[in-house]
């Protein structure tokens, strides 16, 4: 990755947080498109000389749709006005119903998109692209109902690997993260339990449900997985995010898991919007040499925010506050 291009701001003077917000937040406003109600929970990656992404843009009919976007600096985005439509030979799978919360993962030179795909309820849709113009849709990975399908950037044990979060048709008041493998993107199996919500007494921000966020990052310690956790307060659901380190070869084994959150809804744009009190990470850019990471997260189901940190500090934080 070209370090000059990756968005970055130094930690503000006096800030003691492990992860800090971009001063330009929210970097994507809700009305960037003439018909968008909100743009949030979106995925960006390095692409050619710049960046590309798949964005969740709910329209003013309040329909959930995915749109492709491009950027030179990963902060100012040009998002296609036309929604993304996947190529699919099988109309039983390819018929568009709705799609939301996309992730994009580069595996062996090809970009894979996973998203929450409407098929008799939400499940995990899978597609790939080489150019961010044509997207080829594969079989849905799992039976409904499932959300937060996040692929690993390398094959594990020779197979594609993904974590996901089985759920229900509604606003799911429960949820554990599971791991699965596939040799061919058609058949998924070897399902393993990764982790459950934390006990309330130990780590309340993640005590109701959890779900993986950005593509996990390979480090010397194992896979760094940033994930969201939900607390059920008297005022509704509160979405924060923290970090875990998974075993490199057996990623369903959790080595460390942060008891503290990295970021929780505190700014006005995270606390006010269509769904208040939501910080929902779906992507991160990073530079392995400098350790810099830029985390993209949806804010209050309305706009998109960006936060910065250093991977070695996030690893140290995960170990220091671990509840395992
Ligand atoms: C989840 C998903 C996310 C959303 C969150 C908060 O169940 O629908 O897209 O950000 O709820 O509303």
């Amino acid at each position: 990755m070209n370090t000059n291009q990756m968005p970055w701001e130094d930690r503000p003077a006096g800030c003691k947080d492990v992860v800090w917000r971009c001063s330009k937040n929210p970097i994507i406003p809700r009305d960037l498109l003439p018909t968008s109600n909100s743009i949030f929970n979106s995925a960006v990656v390095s692409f050619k000389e710049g960046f590309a992404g798949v964005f969740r843009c709910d329209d003013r009919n309040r329909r959930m749709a995915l749109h492709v976007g491009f950027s030179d600096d990963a902060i100012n985005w040009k998002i296609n006005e036309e929604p993304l439509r996947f190529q699919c030979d099988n109309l039983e799978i390819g018929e568009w119903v709705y799609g939301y919360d996309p992730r994009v993962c580069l595996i062996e030179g090809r970009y894979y998109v996973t998203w929450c795909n409407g098929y008799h309820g939400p499940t995990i849709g899978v597609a790939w692209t080489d150019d961010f113009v044509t997207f080829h849709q594969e079989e849905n990975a799992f039976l409904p109902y499932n959300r937060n399908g996040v692929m690993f950037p390398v094959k594990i044990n020779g197979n594609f690997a993904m974590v996901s979060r089985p759920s229900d048709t509604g606003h799911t008041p429960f949820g554990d993260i599971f791991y699965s493998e596939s040799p061919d993107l058609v058949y998924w199996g070897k399902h393993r339990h990764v982790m459950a919500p934390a006990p309330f007494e130990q780590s309340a921000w993640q005590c109701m449900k959890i779900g993986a966020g950005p593509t996990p990052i390979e480090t010397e310690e194992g896979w760094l997985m940033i994930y969201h956790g939900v607390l059920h307060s008297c005022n509704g659901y509160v979405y924060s995010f923290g970090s875990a380190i998974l075993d490199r070869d057996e990623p369903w084994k959790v080595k460390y898991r942060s008891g503290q959150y990295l970021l929780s809804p505190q700014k006005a744009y995270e606390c006010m919007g269509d769904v208040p009190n939501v910080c929902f990470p779906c992507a991160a850019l990073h530079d392995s040499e400098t350790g810099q990471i830029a985390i993209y997260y949806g804010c209050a189901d309305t706009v998109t925010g960006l936060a910065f940190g250093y991977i070695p500090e996030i690893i140290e934080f995960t170990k220091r506050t671990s509840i395992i």
Side-chain angles (χ1 to χ4, degrees):
M1 177 182 299
N2 183 340
T3 340
N4 300 329
Q5 286 192 336
M6 183 186 144
W8 182 252
E9 285 177 6
D10 285 334
R11 180 184 269 117
C15 170
K16 300 251 182 329
D17 297 330
V18 180
V19 156
W20 57 95
R21 293 167 178 82
C22 179
S23 63
K24 301 192 181 89
N25 271 2
I27 58 162
I28 304 178
R30 65 186 303 164
D31 58 355
L32 190 68
L33 300 181
T35 58
S36 59
N37 165 75
S38 44
I39 305 179
F40 59 109
N41 299 4
S42 299
V44 315
V45 285
S46 294
F47 177 64
K48 294 190 175 162
E49 260 56 283
F51 301 90
V54 177
F55 296 82
R56 172 174 175 177
C57 304
D58 292 6
D59 69 14
R60 294 181 188 190
N61 295 30
R62 295 299 300 264
R63 295 175 297 195
M64 302 180 286
L66 304 177
H67 290 240
V68 177
F70 300 93
S71 173
D72 292 332
D73 59 6
I75 291 189
N76 297 289
W77 288 90
K78 269 186 88 102
I79 298 180
N80 296 346
E81 287 187 22
E82 282 304 307
L84 167 54
R85 287 292 176 261
F86 297 97
Q87 307 285 315
C88 188
D89 295 337
N90 185 339
L91 276 186
E92 270 185 78
I93 298 302
E95 186 193 359
W96 179 261
V97 181
Y98 58 74
Y100 60 95
D101 297 359
R103 293 1 185 233
V104 181
C105 183
L106 179 63
I107 309 170
E108 297 178 349
R110 183 165 267 180
Y111 296 91
Y112 291 85
V113 185
T114 51
W115 73 98
C116 205
N117 188 32
Y119 180 76
H120 304 274
T123 185
I124 306 302
V126 182
W128 60 267
T129 184
D130 289 323
D131 54 11
F132 283 87
V133 176
T134 308
F135 291 77
H136 307 270
Q137 188 173 352
E138 303 279 350
E139 294 285 333
N140 291 318
F142 306 116
L143 290 170
Y145 314 106
N146 203 312
R147 291 183 172 97
N148 300 303
V150 177
M151 292 185 78
F152 286 73
V154 296
K155 288 186 176 166
I156 292 174
N157 307 315
N159 293 321
F160 291 101
M162 175 153 44
V163 281
S164 71
R165 212 279 310 285
S167 59
D168 66 11
T169 51
H171 300 294
T172 317
F174 62 87
D176 296 19
I177 297 176
F178 287 83
Y179 169 92
S180 310
E181 291 184 5
S182 171
D184 53 9
L185 291 183
V186 176
Y187 300 102
W188 290 86
K190 286 186 80 174
H191 309 297
R192 299 282 185 277
H193 185 257
V194 179
M195 58 186 193
F200 173 78
E201 308 76 33
Q202 255 186 328
S203 183
W205 66 268
Q206 51 178 326
C207 71
M208 197 185 80
K209 57 177 170 173
I210 52 176
T215 299
I217 296 169
E218 197 167 4
T219 75
E220 304 243 302
E221 292 283 348
W223 292 102
L224 173 62
M225 182 177 76
I226 292 172
Y227 65 98
H228 71 259
V230 182
L231 164 75
H232 194 185
S233 84
C234 60
N235 198 34
Y237 292 0
V238 179
Y239 286 70
S240 307
F241 63 83
S243 48
I245 296 169
L246 313 178
D247 184 86
R248 226 177 182 167
D249 305 316
E250 299 177 309
W252 55 93
K253 295 188 175 155
V254 186
K255 292 170 69 179
Y256 305 99
R257 173 179 182 179
S258 70
Q260 296 178 18
Y261 59 72
L262 281 168
L263 198 114
S264 80
Q266 296 178 9
K267 298 291 176 191
Y269 55 88
E270 297 161 345
C271 301
M272 290 188 283
D274 288 347
V275 181
N277 306 321
V278 180
C279 293
F280 196 98
C282 286
L285 298 170
H286 74 280
D287 184 301
S288 321
E289 274 168 38
T290 61
Q292 294 171 340
I293 183 170
I295 304 165
Y296 290 77
Y297 65 103
C299 307
D301 283 14
T302 305
V303 294
T304 304
L306 181 58
F308 302 109
Y310 285 102
I311 291 170
E313 291 185 11
I314 296 175
I315 291 172
E316 188 277 325
F317 159 86
T318 312
K319 289 170 135 181
R320 177 165 44 83
T321 72
S322 184
I323 52 173
I324 289 179

